[in-house]
Amino acid sequence: MNIDEIKDTLNVKACAVMPQIKKLKDMDIIVQKGNVYELSDIGEVIVEKMLPLTSLLDVFDGNKDYWSKHDRSPIPLHLIKKMDMLGKCNLDEPDLDHLFEFPRHLRDKLNSSKTVTSFYSYFCPDCPAIQATCAKNGAEVHLILDEKVHSRLKNDFEEEYNVLLDNKVSLYIYAGKLRPSSFMVADTFMMLKLFGKDGEFDHRKIMSFTPTALEWGNELAQYYIERSKKIN
């Protein structure tokens, strides 16, 4: 970029940016060719290494206490190492009147999704209707459940359960000890809920809307699908 493009991009005046450009030139991180500045070979390496770090900092920005006080062991190591893919995360904290309800601002996004993958270690009262609606809307639905959760869904929500079966929803039973509280990956968002470090239930959840977060969420889903028994 030339100096005018740099000023416009950073929304600063030349007097603010020129001293920084001089420092970067002196460090051989950028080079000047005519009136254009570009990264040197070392500068390109630094930026390539820096971007995952800035993305990782975005993950923890405003959410540090959630990640530090919850059990992260259900997240496999290869995905822990790629947590920068989550990008900017939001912490959803439902009020007391809506603790078990699906976030209202995500309902339209969910109902228009073509693919929905969910995992539940606990019984969510909204779960049967949510999954049945997605299936009736033509979405490809994958549902991974604890055996007790599946049993209650089958016995207490027979109508919704039959909708799932009629619409060829992929049902899985997960029996492993290490497990998140729940997660959901749709076309435009990913939600993750973890248990506390002592196994306590927490209604709060982490949400992200970046394409790389969806990729990360789908990898997490595939990890649990491969360790579950398919029953439909």
XYZ file of all heavy atoms in Angstrom, residues 84-133:
404
model
N -7.964 -21.278 18.020
C -7.974 -19.979 17.335
C -9.022 -19.940 16.231
O -9.488 -18.864 15.832
C -6.596 -19.665 16.751
C -6.124 -20.728 15.758
O -5.684 -21.802 16.190
O -6.208 -20.484 14.544
N -9.437 -21.117 15.731
C -10.456 -21.183 14.687
C -11.807 -20.659 15.161
O -12.646 -20.259 14.348
C -10.608 -22.617 14.176
C -9.396 -23.169 13.445
S -9.597 -24.903 12.966
C -10.926 -24.771 11.755
N -12.023 -20.652 16.472
C -13.308 -20.179 17.000
C -13.485 -18.680 16.792
O -14.605 -18.183 16.738
C -13.418 -20.512 18.492
C -13.564 -21.989 18.832
C -13.522 -22.187 20.334
C -14.859 -22.548 18.263
N -12.370 -17.944 16.701
C -12.472 -16.500 16.480
C -13.203 -15.793 17.603
O -13.167 -16.217 18.755
N -13.866 -14.724 17.261
C -14.592 -13.934 18.259
C -15.772 -14.725 18.791
O -16.663 -15.135 18.051
C -15.080 -12.628 17.637
C -15.843 -11.720 18.600
C -14.962 -11.238 19.736
C -15.699 -10.298 20.665
N -14.865 -9.896 21.828
N -15.790 -14.943 20.113
C -16.857 -15.710 20.749
C -17.733 -14.809 21.610
O -17.257 -13.842 22.197
C -16.274 -16.814 21.628
S -15.446 -18.135 20.727
N -19.003 -15.151 21.680
C -19.942 -14.463 22.563
C -20.334 -15.413 23.691
O -20.492 -16.617 23.477
C -21.204 -14.043 21.806
C -20.903 -13.097 20.671
O -19.996 -12.279 20.754
N -21.663 -13.203 19.579
N -20.487 -14.862 24.876
C -20.955 -15.649 26.016
C -22.427 -15.346 26.235
O -22.800 -14.231 26.567
C -20.145 -15.307 27.270
C -20.503 -16.095 28.542
C -20.267 -17.587 28.322
C -19.701 -15.593 29.722
N -23.259 -16.354 26.026
C -24.706 -16.197 26.200
C -25.077 -16.556 27.640
O -24.791 -17.662 28.108
C -25.461 -17.104 25.227
C -26.965 -16.959 25.363
O -27.498 -15.935 24.929
O -27.600 -17.885 25.922
N -25.702 -15.620 28.327
C -26.123 -15.832 29.714
C -27.629 -15.635 29.805
O -28.107 -14.512 29.947
C -25.403 -14.863 30.653
C -23.887 -14.996 30.607
C -23.199 -14.183 31.688
O -23.479 -14.431 32.872
O -22.392 -13.310 31.350
N -28.419 -16.716 29.716
C -29.881 -16.584 29.761
C -30.362 -16.110 31.122
O -29.737 -16.410 32.149
C -30.374 -18.007 29.464
C -29.250 -18.888 29.894
C -27.986 -18.118 29.609
N -31.457 -15.372 31.115
C -32.011 -14.937 32.398
C -32.794 -16.086 33.033
O -33.026 -17.139 32.418
C -32.890 -13.691 32.232
C -34.048 -13.912 31.265
O -34.789 -14.901 31.447
O -34.216 -13.113 30.330
N -33.212 -15.909 34.271
C -33.844 -16.986 35.027
C -35.137 -17.489 34.396
O -35.524 -18.645 34.599
C -34.125 -16.512 36.465
C -32.894 -16.277 37.343
C -33.311 -15.685 38.684
C -32.123 -17.577 37.556
N -35.818 -16.636 33.636
C -37.090 -17.030 33.028
C -36.910 -17.856 31.761
O -37.882 -18.390 31.226
C -37.925 -15.785 32.701
C -38.358 -15.029 33.951
O -38.528 -15.690 34.990
O -38.503 -13.794 33.885
N -35.663 -17.932 31.249
C -35.446 -18.623 29.973
C -34.222 -19.540 30.027
O -33.512 -19.708 29.042
C -35.262 -17.596 28.845
C -36.390 -16.635 28.706
N -36.425 -15.421 29.374
C -37.548 -16.703 27.994
C -37.532 -14.781 29.071
N -38.243 -15.534 28.248
N -34.014 -20.169 31.177
C -32.792 -20.946 31.366
C -32.654 -22.091 30.369
O -31.568 -22.359 29.860
C -32.742 -21.490 32.801
C -32.428 -20.479 33.899
C -32.404 -21.171 35.253
C -31.100 -19.776 33.642
N -33.731 -22.807 30.098
C -33.645 -23.993 29.246
C -34.132 -23.732 27.823
O -34.204 -24.654 27.017
C -34.453 -25.143 29.862
C -33.805 -25.750 31.069
C -34.210 -25.404 32.344
C -32.775 -26.672 30.931
C -33.623 -25.964 33.458
C -32.170 -27.238 32.043
C -32.594 -26.877 33.311
N -34.483 -22.497 27.506
C -35.008 -22.194 26.183
C -33.882 -21.929 25.188
O -32.838 -21.386 25.541
C -35.929 -20.971 26.242
C -37.197 -21.211 27.041
C -38.107 -19.994 27.051
O -37.868 -19.061 26.250
O -39.042 -19.965 27.867
N -34.129 -22.329 23.960
C -33.175 -22.051 22.900
C -33.146 -20.540 22.661
O -34.192 -19.891 22.660
C -33.592 -22.776 21.623
C -32.579 -22.694 20.520
C -31.480 -23.549 20.526
C -32.699 -21.767 19.509
C -30.537 -23.475 19.521
C -31.763 -21.693 18.500
C -30.680 -22.551 18.504
N -31.955 -19.947 22.480
C -31.874 -18.487 22.295
C -32.786 -17.996 21.173
O -32.705 -18.473 20.039
C -30.396 -18.270 21.935
C -29.683 -19.414 22.575
C -30.627 -20.576 22.478
N -33.660 -17.061 21.502
C -34.649 -16.594 20.534
C -34.022 -15.977 19.292
O -34.524 -16.129 18.177
C -35.578 -15.578 21.209
C -36.457 -16.187 22.304
C -37.370 -15.148 22.922
N -38.204 -15.726 23.977
C -39.092 -15.041 24.669
N -39.246 -13.738 24.445
N -39.810 -15.631 25.602
N -32.916 -15.258 19.481
C -32.295 -14.571 18.344
C -31.643 -15.535 17.347
O -31.221 -15.118 16.272
C -31.269 -13.551 18.832
C -30.100 -14.149 19.558
N -30.177 -14.596 20.850
C -28.830 -14.362 19.161
C -28.995 -15.064 21.231
N -28.158 -14.938 20.217
N -31.583 -16.828 17.706
C -30.998 -17.806 16.793
C -32.031 -18.710 16.134
O -31.700 -19.521 15.275
C -29.993 -18.692 17.546
C -28.725 -18.016 18.070
C -27.842 -19.036 18.753
C -27.967 -17.315 16.951
N -33.295 -18.561 16.518
C -34.323 -19.478 16.000
C -34.460 -19.404 14.485
O -34.560 -20.434 13.807
C -35.669 -19.202 16.673
C -35.734 -19.731 18.098
C -37.138 -19.696 18.655
N -37.183 -20.220 20.010
C -37.340 -21.498 20.295
N -37.459 -22.378 19.327
N -37.370 -21.902 21.559
N -34.477 -18.186 13.922
C -34.605 -18.057 12.473
C -33.400 -18.671 11.765
O -33.548 -19.333 10.725
C -34.759 -16.588 12.074
C -36.116 -16.017 12.460
O -37.036 -16.825 12.708
O -36.249 -14.778 12.513
N -32.202 -18.437 12.318
C -30.997 -19.020 11.728
C -31.061 -20.540 11.761
O -30.675 -21.222 10.807
C -29.747 -18.542 12.485
C -29.454 -17.052 12.360
C -28.216 -16.684 13.153
C -27.909 -15.202 13.096
N -27.532 -14.761 11.746
N -31.563 -21.073 12.858
C -31.651 -22.522 12.990
C -32.698 -23.103 12.048
O -32.452 -24.099 11.364
C -31.999 -22.884 14.434
C -32.122 -24.383 14.732
C -30.791 -25.083 14.507
C -32.598 -24.600 16.157
N -33.856 -22.466 11.982
C -34.949 -22.997 11.167
C -34.641 -22.963 9.671
O -35.241 -23.711 8.898
C -36.231 -22.213 11.444
C -36.787 -22.483 12.835
O -36.521 -23.527 13.417
N -37.555 -21.540 13.373
N -33.711 -22.109 9.258
C -33.348 -22.034 7.844
C -32.088 -22.833 7.518
O -31.630 -22.841 6.375
C -33.149 -20.574 7.421
O -32.097 -19.968 8.147
N -31.514 -23.498 8.513
C -30.279 -24.258 8.295
C -30.551 -25.546 7.524
O -31.582 -26.194 7.706
C -29.626 -24.599 9.639
O -29.101 -23.451 10.258
N -29.616 -25.901 6.676
C -29.732 -27.126 5.891
C -29.108 -28.321 6.612
O -29.428 -29.470 6.309
C -29.066 -26.933 4.529
C -29.764 -25.900 3.649
C -29.068 -25.763 2.309
C -29.773 -24.721 1.439
N -29.087 -24.555 0.123
N -28.215 -28.030 7.557
C -27.578 -29.092 8.337
C -27.518 -28.670 9.799
O -27.126 -27.545 10.109
C -26.148 -29.370 7.839
O -26.177 -29.682 6.453
C -25.532 -30.547 8.602
N -27.917 -29.563 10.702
C -27.886 -29.281 12.135
C -27.357 -30.522 12.857
O -27.906 -31.615 12.700
C -29.282 -28.929 12.696
C -29.199 -28.670 14.203
C -29.867 -27.726 11.976
N -26.301 -30.339 13.619
C -25.743 -31.424 14.413
C -25.740 -31.002 15.878
O -25.234 -29.929 16.206
C -24.309 -31.772 13.980
O -24.296 -32.074 12.582
C -23.787 -32.971 14.761
N -26.319 -31.844 16.748
C -26.454 -31.487 18.163
C -26.005 -32.638 19.054
O -26.135 -33.812 18.696
C -27.904 -31.139 18.503
O -28.408 -30.133 17.645
N -25.504 -32.259 20.226
C -25.086 -33.218 21.243
C -25.688 -32.773 22.567
O -25.599 -31.603 22.938
C -23.553 -33.238 21.344
C -23.006 -34.171 22.394
C -22.447 -35.384 22.036
C -23.036 -33.824 23.737
C -21.937 -36.244 23.008
C -22.531 -34.674 24.711
C -21.983 -35.887 24.344
N -26.301 -33.726 23.304
C -26.889 -33.399 24.599
C -26.513 -34.464 25.632
O -26.777 -35.645 25.437
C -28.414 -33.315 24.520
C -28.935 -32.144 23.728
C -29.289 -32.292 22.392
C -29.068 -30.883 24.311
C -29.768 -31.216 21.662
C -29.547 -29.800 23.585
C -29.886 -29.974 22.258
O -30.357 -28.908 21.530
N -25.910 -34.005 26.754
C -25.654 -34.892 27.890
C -26.784 -34.819 28.905
O -26.849 -35.621 29.820
C -24.352 -34.498 28.592
O -23.241 -34.867 27.819
N -27.639 -33.840 28.768
C -28.758 -33.634 29.678
C -30.024 -33.474 28.845
O -29.949 -33.234 27.639
C -28.541 -32.377 30.536
C -28.562 -31.102 29.723
C -29.717 -30.354 29.593
C -27.420 -30.659 29.070
C -29.750 -29.191 28.825
C -27.428 -29.505 28.299
C -28.595 -28.774 28.186
O -28.615 -27.638 27.417
N -31.178 -33.627 29.485
C -32.412 -33.482 28.715
C -32.817 -32.021 28.649
O -33.025 -31.367 29.668
C -33.555 -34.295 29.319
C -34.753 -34.312 28.409
C -34.795 -35.186 27.344
C -35.799 -33.426 28.598
C -35.877 -35.188 26.477
C -36.878 -33.418 27.739
C -36.916 -34.303 26.672
N -32.909 -31.521 27.440
C -33.328 -30.142 27.192
C -34.790 -30.157 26.767
O -35.137 -30.780 25.754
C -32.467 -29.523 26.098
S -33.053 -27.932 25.492
N -35.694 -29.513 27.506
C -37.123 -29.544 27.168
C -37.424 -29.022 25.769
O -38.398 -29.450 25.150
C -37.754 -28.631 28.231
C -36.812 -28.685 29.384
C -35.445 -28.779 28.769
N -36.596 -28.093 25.276
C -36.788 -27.552 23.927
C -36.301 -28.502 22.840
O -36.678 -28.376 21.677
C -36.039 -26.225 23.780
C -36.953 -25.035 24.008
O -38.142 -25.250 24.294
O -36.477 -23.892 23.895
N -35.436 -29.454 23.230
C -34.760 -30.306 22.243
C -35.702 -31.048 21.300
O -35.528 -30.990 20.078
C -33.832 -31.284 22.962
S -33.116 -32.563 21.897
N -36.711 -31.769 21.787
C -37.561 -32.531 20.859
C -38.209 -31.672 19.789
O -38.190 -32.011 18.596
C -38.609 -33.150 21.789
C -37.935 -33.216 23.118
C -37.086 -31.997 23.195
N -38.791 -30.526 20.193
C -39.460 -29.656 19.218
C -38.457 -29.042 18.248
O -38.732 -28.927 17.040
C -40.236 -28.560 19.950
N -37.301 -28.651 18.754
C -36.272 -28.037 17.902
C -35.818 -29.008 16.820
O -35.796 -28.678 15.628
C -35.071 -27.594 18.753
C -35.427 -26.368 19.578
C -33.857 -27.301 17.872
C -34.356 -25.974 20.566
N -35.452 -30.217 17.234
C -34.951 -31.198 16.275
C -36.041 -31.624 15.290
O -35.783 -31.798 14.093
C -34.390 -32.416 17.013
C -33.346 -32.086 18.070
C -32.107 -31.424 17.503
O -31.738 -31.655 16.348
N -31.438 -30.604 18.303
N -37.267 -31.788 15.787
C -38.373 -32.189 14.914
C -38.673 -31.108 13.880
O -38.918 -31.407 12.695
C -39.614 -32.484 15.749
N -38.652 -29.851 14.288
C -38.909 -28.746 13.359
C -37.836 -28.686 12.286
O -38.137 -28.511 11.093
C -38.959 -27.402 14.123
O -40.038 -27.442 15.051
C -39.170 -26.239 13.159
